[in-house]
Amino acid sequence: MDLLRTFEKSFNGLEPKWEGLVHIALCYWNQNKNQPFYGSDIVNFMCIILLHVAIGLIGDSDPTFRKACLVAGIFSSSNSSEWLDLNQENIFCHLVDKINTESRFLEALSNVEAALRKNEDPFQRIRWLWTSNLVGKPCERHDWNMPFGGIMNLFPLSAQDKCEVEGKFMQMKSRFCSEVLLEDVKQSYKMLLEKYRKVRKQYMNGMISLHYGS
């Protein structure tokens, strides 16, 4: 049930939202084209999580991020399939362009620090990525499931650290937006979709059995 709830945070009906796919794309890019997500560079780690936060903030204002994503759609007609592929590619490019032009380091950082001041989890919205095992096995130091106090130790940033992290954030954002390809992340997306559907089916079958068995 907990796994189903985490999936539901990013899924709409039986299809993931575009925001979810973009988060998956960032994870894929970081694992395969950037240095490892849980590498030795703490600045790299902070930039990645802040970029995830920035994507979420953009998604709050752009309805395209909340639309159902049909990248894994299957059509019998080859013409329909070609049209779908082109349409999904155009949407993905639009979202990446929005990230490139509208993601703000200070806005993301302020969002995280404000949540921490209220003793709230600033990353609750994207913890489904780790529950889904999409980002690999974390190292001990950079575990997203670290105690709350462990995350607190990363923030707030000093003025000097803020300049360093912001510079790296801008470089990372630019590289991600110029290098990420929809074709590269389709397999990870489809694997997550199948996992979600399997968990949802098991849950629904269990509810039906419970209802008729009582």
Side-chain angles (χ1 to χ4, degrees), residues 22 25 38 45 74-75 98 103 107 109 159 163 176 196 203 209:
V22 173
Y38 292 100
F45 172 75
I74 300 175
F75 289 80
K98 293 280 285 189
S103 55
E107 183 180 8
L109 179 62
C163 289
F176 167 69
Y196 167 74
Y203 172 74
S209 298

Side-chain angles (χ1 to χ4, degrees), residues 10-22 24 64-75 80-92 95 182-183 185-187 189-190 193-194 197:
S10 187
F11 281 62
N12 180 16
L14 291 179
E15 298 295 342
K17 301 175 185 177
W18 272 103
E19 182 184 334
L21 185 137
V22 173
I24 294 171
T64 307
F65 281 79
R66 300 189 295 276
K67 290 182 178 179
C69 176
L70 302 176
V71 167
I74 300 175
F75 289 80
S80 297
S81 179
E82 290 177 4
W83 176 87
L84 177 64
D85 288 344
L86 180 60
N87 177 263
Q88 301 299 282
E89 182 70 37
N90 288 338
I91 293 175
F92 184 75
L95 299 182
L182 178 59
E183 190 64 32
V185 301
K186 280 185 177 180
Q187 190 59 37
Y189 167 88
K190 291 178 181 179
L193 180 58
E194 289 303 315
R197 286 173 170 167

Side-chain angles (χ1 to χ4, degrees), residues 58-146:
I58 297 172
D60 288 338
S61 60
D62 188 329
T64 307
F65 281 79
R66 300 189 295 276
K67 290 182 178 179
C69 176
L70 302 176
V71 167
I74 300 175
F75 289 80
S76 57
S77 169
S78 60
N79 290 334
S80 297
S81 179
E82 290 177 4
W83 176 87
L84 177 64
D85 288 344
L86 180 60
N87 177 263
Q88 301 299 282
E89 182 70 37
N90 288 338
I91 293 175
F92 184 75
C93 290
H94 164 75
L95 299 182
V96 171
D97 183 63
K98 293 280 285 189
I99 294 169
N100 192 37
T101 58
E102 297 186 14
S103 55
R104 305 283 186 265
F105 169 79
L106 291 179
E107 183 180 8
L109 179 62
S110 296
N111 181 272
V112 170
E113 293 179 340
L116 292 175
R117 284 195 296 270
K118 294 184 287 186
N119 289 325
E120 296 176 354
D121 182 357
F123 312 118
Q124 183 62 40
R125 181 170 177 170
I126 52 177
R127 285 192 183 275
W128 61 272
L129 291 167
W130 280 258
T131 306
S132 309
N133 295 320
L134 284 175
V135 294
K137 185 177 181 180
C139 75
E140 182 178 352
R141 185 180 181 187
H142 296 156
D143 188 350
W144 273 72
N145 295 312
M146 70 172 70

